[in-house]
Amino acid sequence: MPNPTATELVEIEINGEKFAGEQGSTILEIARENGIEIPKLCHMDQLEPTGACRMCLVELVDSGKLVTSCTHPAEDGMKVETDNERIHRSRKLNLELLLSNNTEVVDCDSDETRCEFSKLLKQYDVEVESYAGEKRNHENIEDNPFFKLDHDKCILCGRCVRACEEIRGRSAIDFVGRGFDTKIAPPLDRSLTEGTCQFCGQCVDACPTGALTSKMRIEKGDPTQVEKTSTVCTYCGVGCRMNVYTKDGEVVDVAPDPEAPANDIRICSKGRFGFDFVNRDDRLKQPLIKEKDEFREASWDEALDLVSEKLSEIKENHGSNAIAGLSSATCTNEENYLFQKFMRATVGTNGVDHCARLCHASTVAGLVRAFGSGAMTNSIGEIKDADTILITGSNTTESHPVIGLEVKKAVENGADLIVVDPREIDIAKEDATMYLRQNSGSDVAWIMGMIRVILEEGLWDEKFVEARTENFEEMREAAEEFTPDRVEELTGIDKKKLRKAARLYANADRGSILFAMGITQHSHGTDNVLAIANLAMVTGNVGKESTGVNPLRGQNNVQGACDLGALPNVYSGYQNVDLEENQKKFEDLWDVDLDPNPGLTVVEMIREAEKGNVNGMYIMGENPMVSDPDLGHVEKGLENLDFLVVQDIFMTETAEYADVILPAASFLETSGTFTNTERRVQHFDRALEPKGNSRPDWEIISQVSTRMGYPMKYGSADEITDEIADVTPIYTGITAERVANKQGLQWPCVTGDCTGTKYLHKGQFSRGLGKFHALHYREPAELPDGDYPFTLTTGRMYYHFHTRSMTGRSQGLDELVPEAYMEINPADAEALEVDSGDLVRVSSRRGEIEIKAKISDRVPSETVFIPFHFAEAAANRLTNSVLDPIAKIPELKVSAVNLEKVG
């Protein structure tokens, strides 16, 4: 934003001293900018000011009027006093009146929001029993598993109501009743679980009195006696920075860190209330060794000796490539770097991968080919300033709720929103300018069809295409086959809607594309991503703010795990293993001979294990017995291994198959860095000591490696952070010291004094010229037929995450959604005589499950949707493991299934 000119400034006098501020600023804003504190209660910076509490009163010297500084605009020449005897008396009276209906006050002095009222009472010497007489007597709200509303502490300031409406757009609570009977409650005084509440905790975070309090805090005794640590959420890829509050070695509360760079003061229900799993008694606390199909506890020395002995034996007898390793998108950058280093330098194989293979492998493959970099091009904070947003293959408000709020903010600011998805998801119903429902797996057709319309109607950015791209004519020729009529035939999208959507996006000055696994998890996922890149380049929507191609990463550190080389074809920083100069570089750095051949991917590892070609596996923080496709074959592959070691925090479905289980510390019991979806590397500190006898992953890896003859001697995670900076060009400037602040740094950061990169490809693509690709339509590998007449698509839902190893052990989240379900269209349900809650047998060519039906018009007829989180009705028993030939990602989004009502 440019600096204001003299005509845009006002000068006011505060307490006898002159200050300048921007025209349009309030008195409160100018005062705070200059270090002058004015008390407030109903005011929050993120909310529209109301002046309702009248605590921010100041006196206008010339008129003698008392005005609310949060609402009163500063005027040139104005003289203001912020504190005198009259103001003090008025504020004290306001506090006494606010207190007059309260029977209880939280007594605390910390910097938490919940202490604001208590601190003001002390500051103004207000006696709690100032007023006698009748008090309000409302029944407290405890109708949910997460928080309690204690009306005896509520002062009706309205901050919770406004936060819910203005920040989250939910209006789940309001003022109910009139006069003396007024209270805060859901509309019509219903239960919170019956309305629009998503249990994000924004109301709790806004409350200045402690009337709204997390139940975990209450259960642990005095809710004010807690310790605070700033950390980073370990659920989705947004990378929300948050404060975790602990007491007696357990998590008791979580709240957004006000200094957070990606999420501001927002987090979702999982981030706010989903970390009680850390406290669970069923955490793995001691190494376990399987003997005669039963696990027994072992010492660390015994377990580590056995792991190193068995892996060394397999390496000697069958070769290094008979061992495969799975790293983890929930582990730190340091742990992922160390794991791939262990597999390559210690074991001697490039057979290392992780779950990015199952979600965004095609993103990396496609965007590297088109742009030269496989990451999100722009930043989360830019989304709100886009004037057109295209969302496809992303249920943004459920899978990435904070990014969903940025999209909603853009729409409020006047942006057009186009949503293309087989399911009519909430953001399509609530916010979209246009919703287009395509047939599952037909994405290349509608994207190339939009490009054809844009070219045909002369809406493309000729200057950008000519100056900054190559291979345009080949792409243009390929687009000719995607006429609106053919696109309608292939995709089911009305040709008029296709044209309108193409025009909306093409006419945008700042067009942003958001996508996720609905685009990537296909046998032609790389083509889908290349098509999106084509669309962005043909309209010039790359390389500038609030535009770009923005894959939304599914797990908290899936970006970092890729960046740090937990992939079979690249070292850290996407340095190809089959390039001789890279191989020599890492051989010199690590003082070892390295394999020049790319290794096996996730699905290939399991296939080779089933064949007997992979004899041993080391799995850290992954759960392929729920997350991988065609689970019947995963089971056979794991059973066929000679040796399996699993390193995790819980006894997962995969750990059950292990020969040795190594108990790992949770993210709150270690330190390190995560890289979020916008390429932001953030440091976090340890908040708790490791549970039982568990250890941080990086320590365990180091100890196994040392026992196998390749010593790893690290004194801290920071030492590994610095090694990463030394060997990874895009992380060169991201040292432990430089990333220790709360803002972090966005890669590429290639020098020791860089400030990071907000958006990519400014002026030039990472590969030089952006490359268009000529694409042709390919059907999904498996289509419905007479035996399997329905299309199954899978995905995520709001209250659970990945394989539920964490959210399934979070009491409140699991209480809200305790079991699996299948969305089925009303017409299909009627034909099968199925009601909501009925049990349905779903079968494919690979397996079958029984699951409860949930009738919904979200899905089209002849399509069903199943969240993949639930092991007891695992959608991936049904899914197809056929691979994209380039990215080796399986086709999880389209499978043919049959439905039968059970009973």
Side-chain angles (χ1 to χ4, degrees), residues 231-243:
T231 186
V232 179
C233 181
T234 189
Y235 282 117
C236 82
V238 175
C240 293
R241 181 164 281 281
M242 60 193 193
N243 290 323

Side-chain angles (χ1 to χ4, degrees), residues 722-760:
D722 289 339
E723 181 175 323
I724 290 168
D726 287 340
V727 304
T728 312
I730 58 175
Y731 276 57
T732 296
I734 304 178
T735 61
E737 181 181 3
R738 296 195 71 231
V739 83
N741 62 68
K742 292 184 180 182
Q743 297 304 301
L745 287 166
Q746 288 174 275
W747 69 259
C749 185
V750 297
T751 63
D753 59 358
C754 80
T755 56
T757 304
K758 183 178 181 180
Y759 60 92
L760 302 177

Side-chain angles (χ1 to χ4, degrees), residues 732-838:
T732 296
I734 304 178
T735 61
E737 181 181 3
R738 296 195 71 231
V739 83
N741 62 68
K742 292 184 180 182
Q743 297 304 301
L745 287 166
Q746 288 174 275
W747 69 259
C749 185
V750 297
T751 63
D753 59 358
C754 80
T755 56
T757 304
K758 183 178 181 180
Y759 60 92
L760 302 177
H761 315 306
K762 182 180 180 180
Q764 179 176 302
F765 285 95
S766 299
R767 69 181 301 277
L769 294 175
K771 185 175 182 179
F772 284 103
H773 287 77
L775 303 171
H776 304 282
Y777 182 69
R778 288 190 290 132
E779 291 181 334
E782 184 177 72
L783 292 172
D785 57 21
D787 294 327
Y788 300 95
F790 290 85
T791 296
L792 165 68
T793 188
T794 66
R796 298 183 173 186
M797 55 89 60
Y798 182 76
Y799 290 111
H800 281 295
F801 182 75
H802 207 49
T803 66
R804 287 179 74 243
S805 59
M806 296 185 294
T807 56
R809 291 174 170 88
S810 174
Q811 182 178 343
L813 296 175
D814 199 52
E815 182 179 321
L816 288 180
V817 187
E819 59 186 354
Y821 61 88
M822 175 192 70
E823 289 181 358
I824 181 172
N825 184 272
D828 296 327
E830 183 178 358
L832 293 168
E833 299 181 345
V834 168
D835 293 322
S836 281
D838 284 351

Side-chain angles (χ1 to χ4, degrees), residues 370-388:
F371 298 162
S373 171
M376 184 171 173
T377 60
N378 290 64
S379 297
I380 294 168
E382 297 173 44
I383 294 171
K384 67 180 182 299
D385 297 317
D387 50 32
T388 298

Side-chain angles (χ1 to χ4, degrees), residues 523-683:
S523 57
H524 47 268
T526 303
D527 284 357
N528 290 347
V529 174
L530 289 170
I532 284 175
N534 285 346
L535 179 60
M537 287 190 292
V538 83
T539 55
N541 277 306
V542 191
K544 55 185 181 180
E545 286 202 45
S546 301
T547 64
V549 174
N550 299 295
L552 305 182
R553 296 293 192 153
Q555 296 199 50
N556 66 303
N557 201 36
V558 71
Q559 183 66 58
C562 292
D563 295 346
L564 277 307
L567 297 169
N569 62 323
V570 291
Y571 301 115
S572 65
Y574 306 99
Q575 300 172 82
N576 290 334
V577 299
D578 57 2
L579 198 61
E580 187 175 347
E581 63 188 75
N582 292 337
Q583 182 188 353
K584 185 174 188 312
K585 169 185 172 178
F586 281 91
E587 285 180 338
D588 291 344
L589 287 166
W590 294 344
D591 192 25
V592 68
D593 293 331
L594 296 171
D595 187 342
N597 301 305
L600 299 173
T601 64
V602 169
V603 177
E604 292 171 330
M605 290 174 186
I606 298 298
R607 289 176 180 173
E608 293 305 308
E610 190 175 357
K611 293 175 185 176
N613 296 326
V614 167
N615 305 97
M617 286 190 73
Y618 190 156
I619 299 177
M620 176 180 75
E622 295 276 285
N623 192 12
M625 271 305 299
V626 179
S627 63
D628 286 20
D630 192 2
L631 291 179
H633 280 287
V634 177
E635 190 170 22
K636 291 176 183 176
L638 295 182
E639 287 177 337
N640 202 40
L641 292 170
D642 294 337
F643 185 72
L644 172 62
V645 56
V646 171
Q647 188 168 304
D648 216 315
I649 63 174
F650 288 110
M651 178 66 76
T652 64
E653 291 75 13
T654 302
E656 296 281 359
Y657 290 81
D659 296 287
V660 176
I661 298 175
L662 303 176
S666 76
F667 81 109
L668 290 179
E669 299 153 358
T670 189
S671 62
T673 60
F674 292 140
T675 305
N676 76 346
T677 193
E678 63 177 356
R679 298 168 283 102
R680 187 183 300 276
V681 182
Q682 298 181 85
H683 173 81

